[in-house]
Amino acid sequence: MLILGIETTCDETSAAVVRDGREVLSNIVSSQIDLHAKFGGVVPEIAARAHLESLNAIVAEALTTAGITNPQSQLDAVAVSHCPGLIGCLLVGVAAAKGFAFAWQKPLIPVNHVQAHLYSVFLHDPDSTSSSNSQFTVPNSLFPAIGLVMSGGHSSLYHVHAFDHLVRIGQTQDDAVGEAFDKVAAILQLGYPGGPLIDQLAQQGNDRAIPFPLALLAKDSLDFSFSGIKTSVLYHVNGKKGRERDASSLTPQQKADVAASFQRSAAEMLIEKLRRAAARFETRSLIIGGGVSANSTIRRRVLELGTHLHLPVFIPPMRYCTDNAAMIAGLAHRLLLAGKIATLALETIATV
Ligand code: KG4
Ligand code: ZN
């Protein structure tokens, strides 16, 4: 079964063709980083316009790369992320998907972007030599799982009964963890997007140098809060009230120490909630996804937690951590089998 997936929730325009929910025949991702970098973050109107300009070409490239010459006869369905995301961006993807589904007379499958991030662990990674993190069959014995999605827009914890049956058990009360990484990178004057830059700089730092406070909330809470640590970093780097000096007064080693200490604290907050969830709910595996799951410290800590709890851990291949349409087309295969098809009246939902 061949599904075309379309992804336009934020600042990546992507289209992919996936066979039987696992085999990625094409996954074209066009990042808008250059358009947003000078603003230090994603500008929704610019993002929506850029999707509009590039989506048709991206879809055409995804079809060609996958060897689809006649979509009407070769494709089985068209899938699109219709929630959550920036509303103008979602509208572009959903309108295009409706057009393709109507023109080719194919089922239209709506996909939740955050849930698709968790599905990305089961996409086949053509470059991977190990099968530990990207197995080619989804064993049902992995469910129920605890799933943690960490991205620029979300920090959400799920009890996953199946890929089309997830119950959210925790979420951020303020900023998403990726937002905190991006903000800390901005405070350190590293550039945008900040997550990979912090990850890189932290390799040279002492992660015990600065004891940034952990916001773990109430003893039994499964929610997250990242605004406090963001402010702590700001005050540490810029002085009282965040206005006395800036990162240019730090030595390269001091900057690296801030990056490493922040990264260790952020990872600890995420791991503690995974630990709590696994203790409270029936858990047969741990699954992570989203852009921040590319982080080296977080990947290592989740694997260590799995070893400690004797649970298998599923981590996306690096290429499928950040936004991509392969995860949309992949999850759509499961949804199609479950009959979860939309009509052309499908709506976009900014927050869920
Ligand atoms: O999943 P994603 O592509 O977009 C959303 O759905 O939001 O995630 C993007 C986020 C950005 O905040 C980026 O800084 C972060 O993922 N990110 C990282 C790393 N790579 C990307 N954060 C920490 N460490 C990384 N290596
Ligand atoms: Zn995402």
Side-chain angles (χ1 to χ4, degrees):
M1 199 178 275
L2 290 182
I3 298 183
L4 168 69
I6 293 175
E7 157 62 37
T8 62
T9 57
C10 189
D11 62 341
E12 258 99 26
T13 315
S14 180
V17 177
V18 176
R19 177 182 283 139
D20 296 334
R22 323 304 301 292
E23 195 187 342
V24 182
L25 302 187
S26 63
N27 182 42
I28 312 298
V29 182
S30 163
S31 171
Q32 303 175 0
I33 284 176
D34 294 349
L35 292 179
H36 303 290
K38 62 173 176 280
F39 301 103
V42 177
V43 182
E45 285 303 317
I46 293 176
R49 238 170 251 266
H51 287 308
L52 194 58
E53 280 162 16
S54 62
L55 185 56
N56 276 340
I58 300 289
V59 169
E61 192 179 341
L63 293 173
T64 307
T65 307
I68 309 274
T69 47
N70 184 345
Q72 183 145 17
S73 66
Q74 290 174 273
L75 285 179
D76 293 283
V78 176
V80 62
S81 43
H82 76 121
C83 74
L86 299 169
I87 198 73
C89 297
L90 291 167
L91 281 168
V92 176
V94 169
K98 284 179 182 176
F100 292 127
F102 179 70
W104 299 330
Q105 292 297 295
K106 300 293 165 193
L108 175 66
I109 307 170
V111 178
N112 176 312
H113 172 91
V114 181
Q115 297 178 356
H117 268 305
L118 288 181
Y119 186 87
S120 65
V121 297
F122 294 118
L123 292 171
H124 178 55
D125 181 9
D127 293 343
S128 173
T129 48
S130 107
S131 62
S132 61
N133 294 333
S134 178
Q135 302 191 352
F136 209 64
T137 53
V138 182
N140 278 331
S141 58
L142 292 180
F143 300 120
I146 298 298
L148 174 59
V149 179
M150 304 164 276
S151 72
H154 309 276
S155 309
S156 303
L157 203 53
Y158 292 91
H159 196 209
V160 187
H161 299 274
F163 277 114
D164 55 351
H165 181 194
L166 298 90
V167 179
R168 191 167 56 206
I169 53 177
Q171 62 183 318
T172 185
Q173 294 187 343
D174 38 59
D175 301 330
V177 59
E179 224 176 311
F181 268 92
D182 293 338
K183 188 66 205 278
V184 167
I187 294 167
L188 290 175
Q189 300 174 346
L190 300 179
Y192 172 85
L197 301 168
I198 295 273
D199 198 353
Q200 218 178 341
L201 184 61
Q203 313 291 329
Q204 283 103 54
N206 170 6
D207 67 2
R208 303 260 165 195
I210 306 135
F212 291 124
L214 301 181
L216 297 173
L217 308 176
K219 223 168 73 191
D220 58 349
S221 172
L222 296 177
D223 288 335
F224 303 95
S225 169
F226 290 99
S227 66
I229 190 166
K230 222 173 63 177
T231 308
S232 300
V233 174
L234 179 72
Y235 286 7
H236 177 85
V237 175
N238 290 18
K240 264 202 208 110
K241 299 213 169 94
R243 286 196 293 264
E244 285 174 353
R245 50 181 191 268
D246 66 25
S248 57
S249 63
L250 299 183
T251 64
Q253 187 57 51
Q254 285 171 324
K255 275 192 179 189
D257 288 349
V258 171
S261 300
F262 160 76
Q263 185 163 284
R264 186 179 65 83
S265 297
E268 181 55 39
M269 289 191 252
L270 295 159
I271 294 296
E272 173 59 19
K273 299 307 161 79
L274 266 180
R275 192 183 289 129
R276 287 181 189 177
R280 189 174 325 162
F281 295 92
E282 187 192 352
T283 307
R284 296 204 188 133
S285 66
L286 303 175
I287 303 174
I288 63 168
V292 182
S293 61
N295 184 270
S296 54
T297 296
I298 294 170
R299 289 169 92 89
R300 178 177 51 78
R301 293 287 314 272
V302 176
L303 285 169
E304 285 168 4
L305 179 66
T307 305
H308 179 72
L309 297 176
H310 305 292
L311 292 172
V313 172
F314 289 83
I315 294 181
M318 290 300 266
R319 70 174 73 212
Y320 302 130
C321 286
T322 46
D323 288 350
N324 66 86
M327 66 184 191
I328 306 300
L331 177 53
H333 178 249
R334 303 249 137 198
L335 300 174
L336 181 61
L337 294 179
K340 297 190 174 172
I341 295 168
T343 68
L344 292 180
L346 175 67
E347 293 196 350
T348 50
I349 311 166
T351 48
V352 287

